[in-house]
Amino acid sequence: MRPMDHGVLKCCLFSLFLLTVSASGTLSNAAITTIQPLSNTANASQPANTATSSGATTPSCTTRRCLASMLIAKEALSQPQSPRCISIIRVPSIVYETLSVDTKKLCFESRLEVPLSWEDPDLSWNTSVYHHDMVVLPVSKIWSPELHVTNGVQTTMKHGNKDLLVHSNGTIEHMVIMKTVVGCEVNLYNYPFASDFCAIALNVWAISGCGMFLNFGKVSTTSANRGDWLTEEVELNTKGGRDDRNYLWVLLKMRSENPFLSLVLPSILIILADVGSFALPLGESKRIPFKVKLVLSFIMFLNILKDHLPGGGQCSPIIRKHFCFCLVILVLSTLQSMVLTRLAKCGTLWPCSLSKSKDSLFKDTDNEEEEEKNTALQKVVKFLNKMAAQDQKNAIHHRFANKVDLICFCIYLTVLIVYSFIILVFSFGSQCEINHLEFWH
């Protein structure tokens, strides 16, 4: 073979080598492109990991947890900003419960279960990509409205659950539990037959046309019978038709059995016992100790009343005046018995020391003058005469004291009858009005 043919052959072999290398590169690229969809398909068939995976923002993330991680990553921690700068918070129902009523401090404690619903468009998603209508998110990662009680002395609000429910259209459902102590000057004018309305002003933040507004539904009660007070009715009202002045109108009624048996009935029985004490004789000194015991017993019940009722207010309870009147009557009755006992025994209202000194002076002068003149028999006769005269004088004093005592008893009984009629008229025939919405002024 000639040298020129060797050169041509080398050129042909080199060209064939280049074609082979290029063909093998094309095959490897094709194989890579063929394997890559398979790997994606395999990854899509496995559950997605947490929000740290890069596939959480792609349609290949199909699980609820992955969707929740995507929504949490939006960091929607501020109030939804609508075009009108207002967020409507729907309250479909409120479950109300009265925990306690403090008639001494004029406040009552309540518990409210308040379900909430609002819309946040930033938390919506396309159900054609993510085939889930609802997802659960932690409440600490999502904005939620805060309610407050305008006239509350102390209010605590906690979440009913650590999670909330988010719908695909951006609607969020949640529930909060509120415990509030509300200052309410309960009308105790007719205590213990008292009943009155109290307001719980339940509102949200709003200023200059921005903020939130509440859209209420129905109100129901639970455990209406607690302690000495009953929750008769709960209504939802607005003051002056304003949306930012919503309040629950709670009708409270006192159970009168317990305070009537522990306070009113003992006061009536003590007064009746004092009326019956007029039957005790004056001269034997049994009436006065009995009346003193009645006064001390009544003071004990007066201290119990002081622990249950406030010191003042617009409508001061009538029972306070009743107890003061009864105490005055008992003290006057005791003083009257002391005076009449003194009058029945001595026939005078002078103190014992002065009367005894005068009697002893007269007796000493008489004895000194007559000791020398009278014989022993005459002394005996005169002593008996003095005894008879003294008994007759004591009988006269006793009859006079009994007559005065009877007059005092008639006056005392008449005053009690008139007072009973007056106190019944004022207790059941008169009313006292209190403006419970004055805190908004």
Side-chain angles (χ1 to χ4, degrees), residues 23 29 35 79 111 121 134 136 170 249 258 263 289 311 314 328 400:
N29 290 335
I35 296 171
Q79 177 182 333
R111 181 180 183 272
M134 295 175 290
V136 177
W249 203 233
N258 187 27
L263 292 173
Q314 298 183 21
V328 170
F400 177 73

Side-chain angles (χ1 to χ4, degrees), residues 22-62:
S22 62
S24 63
T26 304
L27 289 173
S28 63
N29 290 335
I32 291 173
T33 55
T34 305
I35 296 171
Q36 183 66 30
L38 293 176
S39 62
N40 288 339
T41 306
N43 290 334
S45 63
Q46 296 176 355
N49 207 348
T50 58
T52 58
S53 63
S54 59
T57 58
T58 63
S60 61
C61 178
T62 58

Side-chain angles (χ1 to χ4, degrees), residues 127-177:
T127 54
S128 62
V129 178
Y130 303 98
H131 304 288
H132 304 289
D133 293 330
M134 295 175 290
V135 68
V136 177
L137 299 182
V139 69
S140 59
K141 301 296 183 179
I142 302 299
W143 176 88
S144 59
E146 182 176 355
L147 308 180
H148 67 269
V149 179
T150 306
N151 59 334
V153 178
Q154 181 180 1
T155 303
T156 58
M157 187 185 80
K158 67 177 183 179
H159 301 287
N161 199 306
K162 294 183 179 180
D163 300 312
L164 45 76
L165 185 65
V166 182
H167 294 264
S168 59
N169 59 356
T171 302
I172 304 173
E173 294 183 5
H174 187 48
M175 187 182 70
V176 295
I177 298 176

Side-chain angles (χ1 to χ4, degrees), residues 93-96 111-115 175-178:
S93 63
I94 297 178
V95 180
Y96 172 85
R111 181 180 183 272
L112 295 87
E113 294 183 2
V114 186
M175 187 182 70
V176 295
I177 298 176
M178 301 180 65

Side-chain angles (χ1 to χ4, degrees), residues 29-322:
N29 290 335
I32 291 173
T33 55
T34 305
I35 296 171
Q36 183 66 30
L38 293 176
S39 62
N40 288 339
T41 306
N43 290 334
S45 63
Q46 296 176 355
N49 207 348
T50 58
T52 58
S53 63
S54 59
T57 58
T58 63
S60 61
C61 178
T62 58
T63 62
R64 290 183 189 270
R65 175 166 290 183
C66 184
L67 176 59
S69 300
M70 183 196 69
L71 297 177
I72 292 173
K74 292 184 177 182
E75 296 184 354
L77 297 177
S78 63
Q79 177 182 333
Q81 304 296 325
S82 63
R84 295 191 303 159
C85 195
I86 294 175
S87 295
I88 304 298
I89 310 300
R90 293 181 294 274
V91 184
S93 63
I94 297 178
V95 180
Y96 172 85
E97 180 183 4
T98 301
L99 299 180
S100 63
V101 179
D102 192 339
T103 55
K104 179 67 175 179
K105 298 180 180 179
L106 294 179
C107 61
F108 71 104
E109 184 179 4
S110 304
R111 181 180 183 272
L112 295 87
E113 294 183 2
V114 186
L116 303 174
S117 176
W118 67 97
E119 293 182 0
D120 192 344
D122 295 332
L123 296 179
S124 61
W125 65 87
N126 189 354
T127 54
S128 62
V129 178
Y130 303 98
H131 304 288
H132 304 289
D133 293 330
M134 295 175 290
V135 68
V136 177
L137 299 182
V139 69
S140 59
K141 301 296 183 179
I142 302 299
W143 176 88
S144 59
E146 182 176 355
L147 308 180
H148 67 269
V149 179
T150 306
N151 59 334
V153 178
Q154 181 180 1
T155 303
T156 58
M157 187 185 80
K158 67 177 183 179
H159 301 287
N161 199 306
K162 294 183 179 180
D163 300 312
L164 45 76
L165 185 65
V166 182
H167 294 264
S168 59
N169 59 356
T171 302
I172 304 173
E173 294 183 5
H174 187 48
M175 187 182 70
V176 295
I177 298 176
M178 301 180 65
K179 285 188 178 180
T180 176
V181 178
V182 177
C184 177
E185 189 169 349
V186 184
N187 192 343
L188 301 175
Y189 183 74
N190 298 321
Y191 183 91
F193 307 99
S195 62
D196 198 11
F197 286 96
C198 283
I200 301 178
L202 190 63
N203 293 281
V204 287
W205 178 85
I207 185 171
S208 301
C210 281
M212 297 174 284
F213 285 102
L214 293 174
N215 186 1
F216 287 97
K218 62 180 181 178
V219 181
S220 60
T221 60
T222 179
S223 300
N225 303 328
R226 186 184 289 271
D228 290 334
W229 289 84
L230 305 177
T231 305
E232 293 281 307
E233 186 179 0
V234 180
E235 295 180 356
L236 180 65
N237 292 323
T238 57
K239 187 177 187 299
R242 296 179 52 171
D243 294 333
D244 59 341
R245 291 190 175 182
N246 306 288
Y247 62 92
L248 296 177
W249 203 233
V250 183
L251 174 58
L252 299 173
K253 184 177 181 180
M254 188 175 190
R255 287 179 172 177
S256 58
E257 295 86 358
N258 187 27
F260 180 82
L261 294 177
S262 60
L263 292 173
V264 179
L265 184 60
S267 68
I268 296 174
L269 295 178
I270 288 175
I271 294 298
L272 292 178
D274 187 59
V275 172
S277 66
F278 280 91
L280 296 175
L282 289 173
E284 298 181 3
S285 301
K286 292 183 178 180
R287 182 189 294 188
I288 297 176
F290 182 75
K291 286 181 174 290
V292 170
K293 292 178 182 179
L294 292 180
V295 172
L296 295 177
S297 300
F298 197 83
I299 291 176
M300 180 188 68
F301 286 103
L302 188 61
N303 290 329
I304 296 175
L305 180 69
K306 182 187 69 174
D307 296 335
H308 283 79
L309 296 181
Q314 298 183 21
C315 298
S316 182
I318 296 180
I319 192 173
R320 187 186 296 278
K321 301 178 179 61
H322 163 71

